[in-house]
Amino acid sequence: MRRVVYKMSKAGNLNDLKQLIEEFPGPEPNEVTVEIKSIGLNFADFFCIQGLYKAAPKENLIPGLEFSGVVIDKGSDVNEFSIGDKVTGVTKFGAFATHINLDKNYLMKLPDNWSFEEGASFVVQALTAYYALKELGNVKPNQIVLIHSVAGGVGIYVNRIAKKFNCTTIGTVGDANKIGKIKNENVDYVLVRDKNFIKHLKEILNNKKIDLLLESLTGKYFKDTFNLLSPQGRAIIYGASNFATHTSFPNYIELAFKYFTRPKVDILKLIEQNRSVMGFNLIWLYEKGEYLKSLLYEIIKLNLEKPYIGEIFNFNQMHDAIKKFQSGKTFGKVVVKIE
């Protein structure tokens, strides 16, 4: 059997991401073979393409963390899925392809009323949001939650999950044009990250403090927002979009400047201030297969709304899709569809 993949012999430059045809083996006893129908894009894909994601292979890289599709084969030890089942899944890279073999623990059946595009937009962002809020943030009812990039795929789900706990949510966007698009998401306050951002944030807080800070920027606003955390407040770091560039390859001078001027936390002051800083990435969570699957079942019980699909590209437009994603001008999820 053969499949089509997007592959890089060496990570570092988007232009080296090539579409190739390669031989494809059958599944191992505990694996399911999926014919992929849709692929969801994430910041981790972009960073690994540029060679900036430590956990990603630097050679013979097939990017891609999440997908949806149809089961076309399965191993002898797989009883949970049948040929023809529609599924969504998360993988440790390798989803930029027409077919994939994956351990059964990283798949779940797609709800009947969900499209493949919606299925490819759910797992990574919902899992990131839930793990950040519930497992690390230990979110409690009626807390104040600040969500950076609230118009992004993860940000939307952070808000939706926080609302399940009746939290007051304050979301930030980098572009005022996104405020109108987020109006139906029940965010209590939406602020543009401009020169008056901190002033407006303090006005909203009205001498109250932030309980949970969901940080995906790691840029110039971290210090000021961190200083507004309450005692026992938690900053959960799950992204570093501030380090994303708009070019096909890394601008190492710009990255070096951002790296050496990145926010830093005095661990002794954490004791004095009774605050916490926590960070995580889904690759670590991927290594905990049973735990990851249990989290997915918890997420399903929340009965969250379907993901918001921002833009859809076809498989042959992979480069265009990635460039649009890295532009920072998207709302919701960017999806690549395989006809």
Side-chain angles (χ1 to χ4, degrees):
M1 182 177 175
R2 292 187 173 186
R3 67 172 181 173
V4 182
V5 301
Y6 277 94
K7 197 170 190 176
M8 307 180 74
S9 59
K10 184 178 181 181
N13 191 324
L14 175 61
N15 295 325
D16 293 328
L17 182 67
K18 307 293 186 182
Q19 189 179 112
L20 305 171
I21 298 175
E22 65 178 23
E23 294 296 326
F24 184 60
E28 295 294 324
N30 64 328
E31 289 183 334
V32 174
T33 301
V34 179
E35 180 182 348
I36 295 177
K37 297 296 185 181
S38 288
I39 304 160
L41 298 190
N42 296 279
F43 268 108
D45 300 323
F46 171 66
F47 283 126
C48 78
I49 287 170
Q50 290 201 337
L52 302 175
Y53 202 111
K54 187 175 180 180
K58 297 298 185 288
E59 297 180 348
N60 297 317
L61 168 68
I62 301 175
L65 297 178
E66 63 182 333
F67 64 91
S68 64
V70 178
V71 175
I72 61 171
D73 198 1
K74 63 177 185 173
S76 57
D77 294 341
V78 177
N79 299 312
E80 298 87 340
F81 300 97
S82 301
I83 306 302
D85 280 349
K86 296 180 179 180
V87 295
T88 180
V90 58
T91 179
K92 189 178 179 181
F93 308 106
F96 282 16
T98 57
H99 300 80
I100 192 170
N101 289 325
L102 193 64
D103 187 292
K104 61 185 180 181
N105 283 330
Y106 301 109
L107 293 168
M108 52 188 262
K109 292 183 180 179
L110 193 64
D112 292 336
N113 63 336
W114 282 40
S115 68
F116 287 118
E117 291 74 33
E118 290 165 341
S121 305
F122 178 72
V123 176
V124 167
Q125 59 192 32
L127 189 60
T128 300
Y130 184 77
Y131 187 74
L133 269 178
K134 186 65 170 59
E135 297 294 291
L136 297 186
N138 193 29
V139 63
K140 302 294 184 185
N142 304 310
Q143 289 186 321
I144 297 176
V145 182
L146 177 64
I147 308 163
H148 281 307
S149 298
V150 73
V154 174
I156 288 173
Y157 268 112
V158 170
N159 180 71
R160 291 178 180 178
I161 295 171
K163 282 302 173 183
K164 295 288 184 178
F165 292 85
N166 198 35
C167 291
T168 297
T169 55
I170 305 171
T172 78
V173 294
D175 186 343
N177 292 327
K178 293 184 178 181
I179 295 178
K181 295 180 179 180
I182 204 76
K183 64 181 180 180
N184 294 326
E185 286 297 330
N186 197 27
V187 185
D188 291 299
Y189 305 95
V190 181
L191 295 175
V192 179
R193 297 187 301 272
D194 57 18
K195 63 181 181 179
N196 295 313
F197 164 56
I198 297 300
K199 174 187 174 183
H200 292 155
L201 176 58
K202 289 180 178 179
E203 290 172 353
I204 291 170
L205 291 172
N206 192 24
N207 295 320
K208 295 180 181 179
K209 295 292 185 179
I210 298 166
D211 296 296
L212 292 176
L213 166 60
L214 277 296
E215 174 61 75
S216 59
L217 306 174
T218 60
K220 64 180 181 179
Y221 297 107
F222 176 78
K223 182 178 180 180
D224 288 333
T225 51
F226 180 76
N227 287 338
L228 293 173
L229 278 177
S230 65
Q232 295 300 306
R234 304 183 184 201
I236 314 298
I237 319 297
Y238 66 89
S241 61
N242 184 53
F243 284 82
T245 63
H246 304 295
T247 56
S248 297
F249 50 88
N251 182 332
Y252 289 107
I253 295 176
E254 179 182 342
L255 288 175
F257 175 79
K258 289 180 178 180
Y259 179 80
F260 288 112
T261 59
R262 72 193 186 281
K264 300 177 181 65
V265 176
D266 185 336
I267 59 174
L268 293 180
K269 284 189 176 182
L270 292 181
I271 301 171
E272 174 188 331
Q273 297 167 338
N274 285 286
R275 294 170 180 158
S276 302
V277 180
M278 305 179 188
F280 78 100
N281 65 75
L282 282 186
I283 299 304
W284 171 85
L285 202 55
Y286 185 87
E287 303 295 343
K288 311 290 183 180
E290 292 294 336
Y291 178 42
L292 185 149
K293 195 160 189 174
S294 71
L295 292 176
L296 288 175
Y297 282 123
E298 291 179 26
I299 292 169
I300 291 171
K301 290 178 182 178
L302 289 176
N303 194 29
L304 298 168
E305 294 180 32
K306 295 180 180 180
Y308 184 92
I309 310 299
E311 297 194 46
I312 300 174
F313 293 79
N314 67 48
F315 192 59
N316 291 327
Q317 295 176 303
M318 182 65 78
H319 282 238
D320 294 332
I322 294 170
K323 289 176 181 177
K324 185 58 184 284
F325 181 82
Q326 73 178 120
S327 72
K329 299 184 182 300
T330 59
F331 171 66
K333 194 75 170 183
V334 177
V335 176
V336 173
K337 182 177 181 179
I338 302 178
E339 300 292 346

